[in-house]
Amino acid sequence: MKKYIVLLFGLSSIFLVGCSSDDIKKANNKSNVSYETVVCEYTSQPTCWTAIDFISTNIKIYADNTVEVYCSDFQDNEITVDYIYGETFEITEEQKQFVIDAIKKNKIEKMKNCGDEESCDGDYSYIRLFDVNGEKVHSCGGLNPSNKKFTNAKNAIFSVLPEDTFRDVHNKATDVLIEYLIENY
């Protein structure tokens, strides 16, 4: 029996020597979510009304305490506009940490799509998380998500913005898009 224990210990030591502490951390954190570059992004896109209304409005919070609120993703027939209009704001370290804490507390990195499959109109809303390189590694949400944990995280994201920013940026983007379409098409 002692021979088997010694053999087992010896084999496990050989395997562990080849693993750095970063490898062990990666194995434990399979989602690879990091808040070192991008904290998160919230995106909302309506499903009804006119083609002009189908633009997405996004809130992207960066690790350097900046927040970009921008509109993008207009498509109609052969016309595509990737970026329409946006504004950038500074937030405090405490505000950024509040969002990170809300994401962690509500386990957004483990959440799957939580939209209402029975809805036929409303908004597609998503929270996206990123890795250390700023690449998207997780997304959750859906059509009219009403999951309490999703809503808690969404409310934390909105809380760092000046009042009415989301609506104001969307309205300005709509004006910019209409002007662009009139001038070019």
Side-chain angles (χ1 to χ4, degrees), residues 18-29:
C19 297
S20 70
S21 62
D22 287 340
D23 293 335
I24 294 169
K25 285 179 189 175
K26 269 187 183 176
N28 290 336
N29 183 13

Side-chain angles (χ1 to χ4, degrees), residues 35 97-111 129 147-150 152-153 156:
Y35 304 103
Q97 193 58 50
F98 178 73
V99 173
I100 293 170
D101 292 345
I103 289 168
K104 288 179 178 179
K105 179 181 178 185
N106 290 288
K107 300 179 180 168
I108 297 303
E109 74 281 353
K110 296 186 184 306
M111 188 176 292
L129 302 177
N147 178 293
K148 184 174 176 142
K149 290 182 177 192
F150 182 92
N152 290 342

Side-chain angles (χ1 to χ4, degrees), residues 3 5 10 14 26 39 51-52 73 88 104 127-129 138 148 153 157 166:
K3 288 181 186 180
I5 293 173
I14 291 169
K26 269 187 183 176
V39 172
I52 296 293
D73 303 324
T88 302
K104 288 179 178 179
I127 296 174
R128 295 184 176 104
L129 302 177
H138 181 74
K148 184 174 176 142
I157 293 166
F166 193 79

